[in-house]
Amino acid sequence: MSDSIFEGSVGEEHFIAKTNTFVEVILPIATPKPTYTYYVDEQHLDQVQFGIRVEVQFGKNKLYSGIVAGIHDKLPKSHTPKAIVNVMDDEPIINQTQFRLWQWMASYYACTLGEVMNAALPANLKLSSETRILLNPDYGDDFSDLNDREYLIAEALTLQAELKIEDVRKIIGQYTVYPLIKKLLEEGVLYLKEEMLEKYKPKTVKCVRLAVPYRNQEELLDEAFSKLSRSNRQVEALMAFIQEARKEGDVSKVKIQEIAGVDSSVTRAIEQKGIFEFYDKEVSRISKYGKDLDAITSLSDQQISALTELRTQFEEKNVVLLHGVTGSGKTRVYIEVIQAALARGEQVLYLLPEIALTTQIIMRLQKMFGDKIAVYHSKLNSNERVEVYKSASAGAPILIGPRSTLFLPFKNLKWVIVDEEHDGSYKQHDPNPRYHGRDTAIYLAHLHGAKVLLGTATPAVETFHHTKTGKYGIVTMKERFGGSVLPKLEIIDLKDQTKKQQMQSHFSLPMIEGIKATVAAGKQVILFQNRRGYSPTLRCESCGWSSECVHCDVTLTYHKHTNKLQCHYCGYAKDIPKECPACGSAKLHMQGFGTEKVEDDLKVYLPELRVSRLDLDTVRGKNALLNIIQDFEERKVDVLIGTQMVTKGLDFENVGLVGVLNSDMTLSYPDFRASERGFQLLTQVSGRSGRGKERGTVMVQAYDTNHPVLQEIGTADYGSFFAREIQERQAFKYPPYHRLIKVTLKHKKPSVLNTAAKIYAHFLRNKLGDRVIGPAIPSVSRIRGYYLLDIMIKLELNAKLISFAKKQLHAAAQDVHSERGFSTVRINVDVDPN
């Protein structure tokens, strides 16, 4: 194509194109097209390459940092492209393999490439416009017509060229400033500036070196000491520098001050005399493991056998399931796999369900591998996440973290370990992409030519089915490590206990006696109740009124520590009413119980016990979880009460009893996965007991004592559970025999939502027939002010059919949004809902 000359607009400016280079740019937003075409001017021609960020204008005045996904010379026929504003990187921040993963995720999970990009990059690598205000020079300097707050803003802008919204809030001392700014805009006092800001800033430390000529001529140091001879403190600071410089290449200013016992005025005085020179050195924010490494323990016969079998399986299979009972020593097998990979110079990805709940495993791995491990998770600040991101690209040997770790730019990935592969936390629920970490990890490994090791005591039904069909390999570990045996199960009939009037609040008599006996024997107890808060419902005994959220169709949970009613969906909270809002009665009664009430009641019935609680309310602080776990490990706590947090990644040798207070709630949930989740959850929590030399006990309180899952847990019989479950899945067309796609439509007006859902479902039925089920009202029909309707699609395992169905989902959404009045209906697609 010959050089073309054309005009295009960027805001009010115009450019003349003298090159024929264009780039395809991914934007970090949900847009209909995967990429948008921009023109590259001569100024940036040599800088543009795949994977770098470019600053571009999108829409009337918004600026975004997009990623270059392609470079070509084809001028778009439909429109005149805008020029890129700026090139933001010297080197690519993503590689081709990452991009292929993004494309697969967008296609498989029926979302946009921009949404995948938004999820994949650390926040500080995603830039957006930040509104700034400037004083309009045409308005003049007469502010006499402005009120006090308006005057403060205008005056501030005479002293400072521009202000951010946050600056305005500080100046006038209030949070709500948009109405005020809007008024000043309308009156012509201000105008807005859209500016792209780079958020990531490397961490730097102020370091000290000798100034010239002392740096290059050591013989002049005597002269330097002579200059400082009147101040002993300055001499000591110089001596401290010389001693430290011999050990370290770069010496921090703080280090010198600590060694010499001086403050910054002393080092600054030496600088002013031309002897010291200060400079900034970039340092890593990633914390270093400063302790001695532990020796790796010897393997048991079972672990040696498992490793031998794994090597054999991996010769033929790319994915192998390590199915080991709780406490069988799977983590030790992972360590051996990692060690062998490091010896070959390979990179390992170790996925955990939730980083906050697996502190013990991370600490154990750090004791083995030290600084070879880089941990990536949401508790890191934004700058720390960028540094881990860059370390992955540089070839960090072991990357460990939750599902988001999949998005790192791996250099030589050859092994992926997915621990507790069954865990529901691997599934992203909101927002897009609604991906499954385990399944995405398998595709990521495929792109890198890596092997995948899945590990769990309670495999997902789909995973175990793949081992039966030969798609995955399987290695089994049936015995607990160290000769410990599986705990004894006792099922307590709550109907019988209630009838005999032996219940003490929510504790049966055997449970209370069991707790007493366990603690008396020097052992610890874990109590499991999968609901946080004090009580899930406040109800009026006179008229039946219950406290409900104003934004969601759920009852408000009472939290005693805040003395408020709170919604666990949207966070809405309010005070407890003194009387019923419906009938005026004062007979308000708490119904149901959560972990907070369990803790309270236990302190009443067994006040001598040391009790702690592990749930979302108690681990909000940065180190709160670690403190709770350490206290329990150090036996400062007799009884640990918790939600499903206590089922994951915890290994305590001294636990003699695990108590499940309400198993019916877990097993009776209206979902086809209820039995599977119940079996997994109860087996995992049971596995916390008896990990030492003595056999532990598990007590399960239930009204339905004949539920098949309880019988299967009692015999640790996963085979029987799977055989029963897989038969039901096949009969009712559920995974793994059919593929599910759930579509949720949302709107604030029920009438609009109902009509939109009918249009959407009708469109799909014309294409997919009776595979489309619904629309139906979900169990929670309103969340955050939006009413919900669900449509479920059941598809046979046919790649062409599934691909066709996903295209129809997009077409159906366009059909709805094209109708007048329905453009604001939200449509969320969840492929393989969990």
Side-chain angles (χ1 to χ4, degrees):
M1 177 175 140
S2 60
D3 287 357
S4 58
I5 297 179
F6 59 88
E7 287 193 349
S9 62
V10 179
E12 297 299 319
E13 299 177 6
H14 295 271
F15 65 83
I16 302 294
K18 293 185 180 179
T19 75
N20 58 351
T21 303
F22 302 90
V23 288
E24 295 300 318
V25 176
I26 313 168
L27 300 175
I29 50 178
T31 56
K33 294 172 62 179
T35 61
Y36 289 83
T37 307
Y38 285 85
Y39 160 69
V40 183
D41 56 24
E42 289 182 336
Q43 178 187 353
H44 300 113
L45 204 56
D46 294 337
Q47 300 170 280
V48 168
Q49 57 180 308
F50 171 87
I52 64 165
R53 291 174 300 164
V54 290
E55 185 179 344
V56 296
Q57 184 186 18
F58 187 76
K60 189 175 181 181
N61 58 1
K62 285 288 182 184
L63 296 174
Y64 289 95
S65 64
I67 289 184
V68 175
I71 305 171
H72 59 85
D73 61 0
K74 297 180 179 65
L75 173 67
K77 296 179 181 178
S78 58
H79 68 286
T80 301
K82 298 173 182 176
I84 62 171
V85 178
N86 193 19
V87 174
M88 305 176 68
D89 302 303
D90 295 325
E91 297 178 354
I93 65 165
I94 70 164
N95 55 47
Q96 289 284 356
T97 307
Q98 279 178 287
F99 181 52
R100 287 166 63 194
L101 179 70
W102 292 9
Q103 289 177 307
W104 175 82
M105 291 182 72
S107 172
Y108 186 87
Y109 291 106
C111 61
T112 68
L113 197 57
E115 287 170 319
V116 178
M117 173 188 168
N118 194 44
L121 294 181
N124 279 12
L125 292 182
K126 296 177 293 188
L127 308 181
S128 60
S129 284
E130 186 164 318
T131 302
R132 292 177 177 245
I133 59 171
L134 293 84
L135 196 62
N136 185 357
D138 296 334
Y139 186 82
D141 55 2
D142 182 7
F143 305 137
S144 57
D145 291 335
L146 305 181
N147 63 33
D148 291 345
R149 290 180 301 166
E150 293 167 349
Y151 181 89
L152 284 172
I153 297 170
E155 185 182 39
L157 284 168
T158 63
L159 303 173
Q160 193 171 334
E162 58 189 55
L163 295 172
K164 293 187 290 187
I165 297 297
E166 189 58 36
D167 298 330
V168 176
R169 288 174 177 145
K170 291 175 183 176
I171 289 166
I172 64 173
Q174 70 179 52
Y175 185 80
T176 308
V177 296
Y178 285 107
L180 189 61
I181 292 172
K182 183 182 176 185
K183 185 169 180 257
L184 290 170
L185 288 168
E186 290 171 349
E187 293 174 353
V189 181
L190 312 176
Y191 68 92
L192 297 181
K193 175 185 177 183
E194 291 289 337
E195 182 177 18
M196 184 71 69
L197 299 175
E198 172 65 74
K199 294 182 182 177
Y200 172 67
K201 292 182 180 178
K203 182 179 180 181
T204 58
V205 171
K206 187 69 73 177
C207 288
V208 178
R209 62 190 173 203
L210 292 172
V212 175
Y214 305 103
R215 193 188 319 160
N216 304 324
Q217 301 177 51
E218 197 171 322
E219 63 273 12
L220 295 179
L221 280 175
D222 289 342
E223 179 187 321
F225 277 108
S226 297
K227 280 188 177 183
L228 307 178
S229 59
R230 290 189 176 185
S231 171
N232 289 335
R233 297 172 73 201
Q234 291 178 19
V235 169
E236 287 170 4
L238 181 56
M239 284 292 296
F241 167 78
I242 292 169
Q243 290 170 7
E244 198 64 22
R246 286 171 181 162
K247 295 186 288 183
E248 302 282 342
D250 296 284
V251 183
S252 75
K253 178 181 171 184
V254 172
K255 186 82 170 177
I256 293 171
Q257 291 168 188
E258 283 178 0
I259 294 171
V262 300
D263 57 27
S264 60
S265 64
V266 174
T267 50
R268 190 165 55 249
I270 300 174
E271 184 224 6
Q272 289 169 351
K273 289 178 181 178
I275 298 171
F276 274 174
E277 183 177 284
F278 298 148
Y279 66 99
D280 290 327
K281 174 177 169 34
E282 186 175 327
V283 296
S284 173
R285 290 184 173 87
I286 304 170
S287 60
K288 296 291 184 183
Y289 185 78
K291 302 175 185 177
D292 294 333
L293 300 184
D294 286 355
I296 296 179
T297 56
S298 58
L299 295 161
S300 69
D301 290 342
Q302 180 179 234
Q303 289 167 339
I304 293 170
S305 176
L307 281 164
T308 302
E309 201 173 341
L310 279 172
R311 292 188 191 102
T312 303
Q313 292 274 354
F314 277 121
E315 288 176 6
E316 298 180 3
K317 308 287 185 184
N318 291 322
V319 182
V320 178
L321 170 67
L322 181 61
H323 183 196
V325 297
T326 55
S328 59
K330 294 185 291 296
T331 305
R332 180 64 185 84
V333 175
Y334 302 153
I335 288 171
E336 200 69 18
V337 171
I338 293 169
Q339 198 175 31
L342 297 188
R344 295 188 295 267
E346 298 169 347
Q347 203 170 28
V348 180
L349 169 61
Y350 190 131
L351 287 182
L352 296 164
E354 294 178 71
I355 204 73
L357 309 183
T358 46
T359 307
Q360 276 190 321
I361 292 176
I362 293 170
M363 290 171 64
R364 183 177 173 186
L365 291 172
Q366 283 178 326
K367 287 177 182 178
M368 302 293 177
F369 299 108
D371 291 337
K372 291 178 182 177
I373 287 180
V375 184
Y376 187 76
H377 56 85
S378 59
K379 296 257 180 185
L380 300 176
N381 66 45
S382 296
N383 287 322
E384 287 171 333
R385 295 187 81 176
V386 171
E387 295 201 7
V388 176
Y389 188 91
K390 291 182 175 181
S391 75
S393 181
I398 308 168
L399 284 306
I400 184 168
R403 60 178 184 265
S404 59
T405 316
L406 291 161
F407 294 117
L408 293 176
F410 302 101
K411 184 179 182 180
N412 184 32
L413 183 65
K414 293 301 175 187
W415 287 91
V416 178
I417 297 170
V418 185
D419 198 11
E420 306 296 353
E421 65 84 26
H422 69 277
D423 199 287
S425 302
Y426 280 121
K427 175 68 174 177
Q428 163 77 7
H429 293 288
D430 200 48
N432 276 340
R434 292 174 171 82
Y435 67 101
H436 198 294
R438 176 197 61 223
D439 300 340
T440 306
I442 291 170
Y443 190 80
L444 173 71
H446 163 72
L447 292 175
H448 283 272
K451 301 291 186 180
V452 180
L453 177 57
L454 308 175
T456 180
T458 53
V461 169
E462 291 91 332
T463 300
F464 202 72
H465 176 73
H466 289 325
T467 68
K468 291 290 187 183
T469 60
K471 185 176 181 180
Y472 298 167
I474 182 170
V475 174
T476 305
M477 298 172 69
K478 296 181 179 179
E479 298 172 2
R480 279 191 153 191
F481 180 78
S484 63
V485 295
L486 290 169
K488 177 179 65 175
L489 179 72
E490 294 180 20
I491 299 175
I492 302 166
D493 190 339
L494 289 180
K495 288 181 292 186
D496 182 61
Q497 286 287 300
T498 304
K499 187 177 179 181
K500 292 178 180 178
Q501 297 184 339
Q502 293 183 331
M503 294 295 294
Q504 297 183 31
S505 182
H506 301 288
F507 300 98
S508 62
L509 182 60
M511 185 72 76
I512 288 288
E513 295 298 327
I515 294 170
K516 285 181 183 177
T518 302
V519 175
K523 296 290 183 179
Q524 292 167 291
V525 179
I526 290 177
L527 294 180
F528 171 65
Q529 168 63 7
N530 204 20
R531 188 189 290 273
R532 65 187 174 98
Y534 190 88
S535 177
T537 307
L538 177 68
R539 194 174 297 279
C540 174
E541 292 181 3
S542 300
C543 71
W545 170 88
S546 61
S547 58
E548 291 189 353
C549 177
V550 295
H551 307 297
C552 312
D553 283 342
V554 293
T555 57
L556 297 174
T557 299
Y558 173 59
H559 287 257
K560 190 176 181 181
H561 74 286
T562 59
N563 197 32
K564 286 187 180 293
L565 296 167
Q566 185 178 341
C567 175
H568 288 173
Y569 282 84
C570 71
Y572 170 77
K574 71 173 187 177
D575 295 328
I576 300 175
K578 294 180 180 179
E579 58 184 31
C580 174
C583 70
S585 170
K587 294 181 179 180
L588 298 176
H589 178 67
M590 299 285 182
Q591 290 187 339
F593 66 104
T595 50
E596 203 175 8
K597 181 163 173 53
V598 174
E599 180 185 23
D600 236 28
D601 288 350
L602 196 62
K603 287 177 179 177
V604 172
Y605 293 113
L606 300 172
E608 70 278 9
L609 299 186
R610 297 167 299 172
V611 180
S612 185
R613 180 162 50 93
L614 179 61
D615 58 26
L616 193 61
D617 296 321
T618 61
V619 296
R620 294 191 186 277
K622 190 170 185 180
N623 298 313
L625 174 70
L626 186 61
N627 293 336
I628 293 169
I629 289 174
Q630 284 181 340
D631 285 348
F632 197 69
E633 279 184 326
E634 294 168 7
R635 305 185 186 183
K636 297 176 182 177
V637 173
D638 298 316
V639 182
L640 180 64
I641 300 160
T643 56
Q644 61 180 341
M645 285 185 172
V646 299
T647 72
K648 301 178 183 182
L650 300 181
D651 186 1
F652 303 115
E653 287 190 359
N654 197 46
V655 175
L657 171 65
V658 167
V660 179
L661 300 180
N662 186 1
S663 64
D664 301 276
M665 182 177 72
T666 302
L667 296 171
S668 60
Y669 194 79
D671 181 76
F672 80 94
R673 293 190 191 274
S675 286
E676 179 183 10
R677 285 202 195 99
F679 181 88
Q680 291 167 346
L681 200 57
L682 295 176
T683 300
Q684 291 288 339
V685 75
S686 299
R688 304 310 110 195
S689 175
R691 286 181 167 240
K693 294 179 181 178
E694 297 177 28
R695 188 182 188 189
T697 302
V698 178
M699 290 184 171
V700 179
Q701 295 186 163
Y703 285 98
D704 183 8
T705 57
N706 294 318
H707 196 290
V709 166
L710 295 181
Q711 311 307 316
E712 290 151 0
I713 291 169
T715 56
D717 190 355
Y718 182 85
S720 295
F721 159 75
F722 177 78
R724 176 180 58 78
E725 187 70 15
I726 202 74
Q727 193 174 2
E728 291 181 8
R729 298 281 185 94
Q730 189 170 21
F732 295 102
K733 297 183 178 180
Y734 281 114
Y737 296 103
H738 278 67
R739 182 65 49 78
L740 295 185
I741 300 176
K742 185 175 81 170
V743 181
T744 301
L745 291 88
K746 303 180 179 183
H747 200 270
K748 291 189 174 182
K749 294 181 181 178
S751 58
V752 173
L753 177 64
N754 286 330
T755 306
K758 286 176 183 177
I759 295 170
Y760 191 90
H762 178 73
F763 184 98
L764 288 181
R765 279 199 184 89
N766 284 339
K767 306 292 183 181
L768 299 170
D770 60 5
R771 298 180 182 89
V772 180
I773 303 166
I777 300 171
S779 55
V780 179
S781 59
R782 184 172 60 110
I783 297 176
R784 295 185 179 93
Y786 282 85
Y787 292 89
L788 315 178
L789 283 173
D790 286 344
I791 295 171
M792 188 70 78
I793 304 160
K794 289 184 177 181
L795 300 167
E796 300 92 317
L797 299 182
N798 180 300
K800 288 184 178 179
L801 172 65
I802 294 167
S803 177
F804 173 77
K806 289 175 183 176
K807 289 177 182 176
Q808 299 314 307
L809 295 175
H810 179 66
Q814 287 184 318
D815 191 53
V816 170
H817 289 149
S818 65
E819 294 280 340
R820 187 172 181 178
F822 295 107
S823 61
T824 54
V825 175
R826 296 186 182 182
I827 302 173
N828 294 335
V829 177
D830 189 359
V831 178
D832 301 336
N834 196 24

